[in-house]
Structures are given as structure tokens and as C-alpha cells.
Amino acid sequence: MASIRKVTHRSGRISWQARWRDPAGKQRSKNFRRRIDAERFLITVEARKLAGTYVDPQAGRLRLGDFAQQTTAGWVNRRDSTKARDESYLRSLVLPTFAEMPIGKIGLFDVQEWVNDLDADGYAPATIRKAYQLLGRILNDAVNGGLIARTPCRDVDLPKIEDTEKRFLTPTEITQLADTIDPRYRALVITAAYTGCRIGELIAPDTDRYQPDKRTIRIERSLAEVRGIITATEPKTSASKRTITLPQAVVDDLATHLDQHATGRTDRVFTAPQGGPLRRRRFRKRFWLPAVAASVGQPMRFHDLRHTHAALLIAANTHPKLLQARLGHTSIKTTLDIYGHLYEPLDEVAADRLEQLIADAIAHR
């Protein structure tokens, strides 16, 4: 049974001690300067016990830095690249502010002030949001572990991510870029533009995943580089595992590529000049950026070849479901959120076709 008693300390100070038993039957107590505060506290405790949301008031004393180390060690199903990113964000963005703070003392305004400080320091909105999501996941684990009643990561005002400008090349520009880059990577540019694959997906497949007689390439994994080590990772979703049909012109380019640049040291379709796995950063600096500068000009990311593929298919009146399948999106909503605006001009084409149907009907009355 909960109770309150008056306590006189050696210093002569008087406090009011709230006493209760937790759900396990253990006696607990907490001192307050005013009796009314002790009464309100006990009302809250009893209500949470009845609702099944009781939290030990002492549990929140654990420092976030210590708890983060414990809980993140148990996170599974993370790619090596994701794990490395989380560790970097935790070390450089989260812990400098929250490491020494008891979890139970972190409030909404503390989180909002932290977000505002990161924004003022010039961090990109996307970076701030990733750091916020990381902190939120840690504090959600604290809620699930019964350390705090609810997370302070709620209703926080986050910086808006501006839509990144996408570059769409014409077929002529694709050829211009492909002809300018080092001949070893001409087919890589062509394949990326006419399959919509990400670079990590293109530098991963072995030649047995490529079947020129069927004009298909099977995407089953992606290469990522973490701390200088290249590893093959599973796609983020099952939809990313897909078989893509290639135009015959791309098959012809790949035939020339394999005939001229296969080293025999690896069975991957695209490799580094010496035959090992292609390192993206080195490729970008040594081959991609010089070729872009000498041909189509900046801004132009390799990922824009994926956007280019989508734009070309939409211009050819391709159904959104087929576009979704070729790009490996889990949801059609993702496809339309990114590329839906490119379908808008086709609405006029549809209206013109309806107009022709109306005219034909009138003519045959």
C-alpha cells in the first residue's frame, strides 16, 4: 500500500517520503520537498501500475552513452556500411551532447536544442535527420526496456530536406559520356543508363549472372566499401533482387567490353584496371569526374544514370509497375514519389488520343 511519511534530516531539513511497492513487490521510496508533490507522484505510480506502464524511477539514471553501447551491440540485420555510418554518427553527433546525461533526464527541449545546434553548425538536413533517427531508436529501446516511460524524440522540428536536383541525359548525351570515359568503363556507363542499376549493383555481378543469349542480367547483391574493405552485401529489400532485360545494343557493348577488358583474375563483369573489385571513390575521382567535365558537364552523379533510365522509360510511355520492377522498388508509391512528375506530360498525350477517338466516333455517326 502506498504511503507518505514526514522525514526530518540531520540538518533539520524536512522532506516528504513517498513509499510504494513496485509490480515485483519490492519496497520503493522517493523524497520530495513538498507533501503535495509526493501525493501527485504516488497517484502517477499507482496509475502506471494499473496500466502496465510502470517504470522504476531509478532506471532512468543510466547514462545514455553507457546504454547506447549496450543496446546498439544487439542491433542485427544491419549492413556493414550502415553499421559504420551509425557508429560514426553516434560518436561525432550524438554522444558529444548526450553521453553523460541520464536517460531519464533527456527531455523534448534538450533534443530540440541539439537539433538546432547541428543545423546552426552547418550539417546537412539529411545528416541531422539520420542522427535524430539514431538517437530515437536508442531511446525507443530504453522505453521497451522499461528504463523510461516514453521517448523525448517526438514532435521535434527537423530541418527540411530540399529535393536534390536530378539530371536526365538524352541518348545522345549518354553516348557522349560513354565515348569520353576510359574505354574500360564505356560499357559500365551504357549499362547503367539502360538498366537503371545502382553502381554497387553493377560492379557486383559475376559473369554467370549475365546471360547474353537471353539478354538478361541478374542483380542479387551489391558491393560496398567500409573502412577500405570491400564486401558483398544483400540488397536492402527482396524487390532489389531482380532480373533485367537488356537492349541488344547493350549486349553488344558488353560483348566488346568482356572481350577487351576481362583480365582472367576475376569473374566479375566490371573490375578495377588491375582486375580486382572496383572501388567507387577511386573510380569517381580517377575516371568519372574527368569524363563528366570533358563531356556533359557538372552537375552529374553516377546515380543520375539511374534517373536517366527512369526518364527514358517514362518518355516511352512505360507502365509505372514495369518501371518499379526494373528499378527494384518495393512499392509503386516510391516510384511515383520520385518520378511521378515525369508522367504529367503524358496526360496531354492521353487527352489528345481521347480527342481522336471522339472525332472518329462523330465521323462514323
Side-chain angles (χ1 to χ4, degrees):
M1 189 71 178
S3 63
I4 298 174
R5 72 174 183 175
K6 185 177 181 179
V7 177
T8 303
H9 300 274
R10 291 181 180 180
S11 63
R13 180 174 59 86
I14 295 176
S15 63
W16 301 90
Q17 187 178 79
R19 298 169 61 84
W20 74 98
R21 291 190 180 278
D22 65 21
K26 185 176 180 180
Q27 184 71 53
R28 301 284 188 178
S29 65
K30 184 175 182 179
N31 291 345
F32 296 87
R33 298 177 64 180
R34 301 187 306 168
R35 181 183 180 91
I36 187 63
D37 293 332
E39 292 174 348
R40 290 171 177 168
F41 175 78
L42 286 180
I43 291 173
T44 302
V45 167
E46 293 303 317
R48 287 178 176 173
K49 286 167 62 176
L50 290 172
T53 58
Y54 173 84
V55 174
D56 182 355
Q58 296 184 359
R61 296 179 181 179
L62 181 64
R63 296 183 306 174
L64 183 126
D66 296 331
F67 179 70
Q69 184 176 6
Q70 297 172 17
T71 193
T72 56
W75 291 354
V76 297
N77 299 325
R78 287 188 297 166
R79 293 184 172 194
D80 290 340
S81 56
T82 302
K83 185 177 180 180
R85 183 202 66 196
D86 289 348
E87 291 174 351
S88 175
Y89 282 18
L90 184 63
R91 181 179 62 255
S92 61
L93 300 179
V94 178
L95 294 183
T97 298
F98 297 108
E100 300 300 321
M101 291 184 66
I103 293 176
K105 294 293 185 180
I106 300 175
L108 170 63
F109 294 111
D110 296 313
V111 177
Q112 184 67 71
E113 183 179 5
W114 168 66
V115 168
N116 294 343
D117 288 342
L118 292 179
D119 188 39
D121 289 341
Y123 287 98
T127 299
I128 296 174
R129 284 177 174 264
K130 288 292 185 182
Y132 173 77
Q133 291 168 4
L134 178 61
L135 175 63
R137 182 175 180 182
I138 292 170
L139 292 173
N140 278 335
D141 286 353
V143 173
N144 295 333
L147 301 180
I148 54 178
R150 60 177 181 170
T151 174
C153 289
R154 61 187 189 280
D155 300 325
V156 173
D157 186 19
L158 299 173
K160 182 180 179 181
I161 298 178
E162 300 295 338
D163 188 29
T164 303
E165 189 70 25
K166 301 176 182 65
R167 177 83 180 271
F168 306 106
L169 298 186
T170 65
T172 299
E173 289 174 321
I174 295 170
T175 302
Q176 183 183 2
L177 175 58
D179 288 343
T180 304
I181 203 167
D182 185 285
R184 169 177 287 278
Y185 299 113
R186 183 186 192 281
L188 177 61
V189 171
I190 294 294
T191 306
Y194 292 107
T195 64
C197 290
R198 305 171 181 89
I199 186 170
E201 295 173 334
L202 285 177
I203 62 177
D206 301 330
T207 51
D208 59 358
R209 301 294 190 278
Y210 168 55
Q211 296 183 299
D213 55 327
K214 296 181 178 180
R215 295 193 295 129
T216 62
I217 186 167
R218 176 67 184 167
I219 303 299
E220 294 181 337
R221 57 183 179 174
S222 179
L223 285 192
E225 183 176 351
V226 180
R227 299 189 184 95
I229 299 176
I230 297 178
T231 57
T233 61
E234 289 292 313
K236 292 182 178 181
T237 65
S238 58
S240 294
K241 289 186 176 182
R242 60 203 190 276
T243 299
I244 302 174
T245 302
L246 310 176
Q248 184 59 48
V250 176
V251 175
D252 295 340
D253 277 326
L254 284 171
T256 302
H257 166 76
L258 292 173
D259 181 60
Q260 296 180 352
H261 302 293
T263 63
R265 296 177 56 187
T266 180
D267 55 358
R268 287 195 175 93
V269 177
F270 299 107
T271 66
Q274 293 74 30
L278 185 62
R279 295 180 179 271
R280 292 192 230 176
R281 292 181 181 177
R282 193 171 298 173
F283 165 78
R284 180 177 182 273
K285 181 178 180 180
R286 182 177 175 185
F287 301 105
W288 177 257
L289 292 179
V292 167
S295 58
V296 296
Q298 292 288 5
M300 179 67 199
R301 304 161 301 174
F302 194 92
H303 199 75
D304 285 326
L305 293 176
R306 179 173 168 86
H307 298 321
T308 292
H309 180 67
L312 292 175
L313 290 181
I314 292 171
N317 204 19
T318 302
H319 193 281
K321 287 297 291 183
L322 177 56
L323 179 59
Q324 172 195 347
R326 287 184 70 89
L327 295 178
H329 289 158
T330 302
S331 169
I332 188 70
K333 182 179 183 301
T334 301
T335 308
L336 293 177
D337 284 347
I338 299 174
Y339 303 112
H341 65 287
L342 297 179
Y343 279 96
E344 293 175 1
L346 297 180
D347 185 57
E348 296 181 7
V349 175
D352 292 341
R353 290 175 179 172
L354 290 173
E355 180 68 26
Q356 185 59 51
L357 291 175
I358 295 171
D360 291 343
I362 294 175
H364 289 84
R365 280 193 304 183

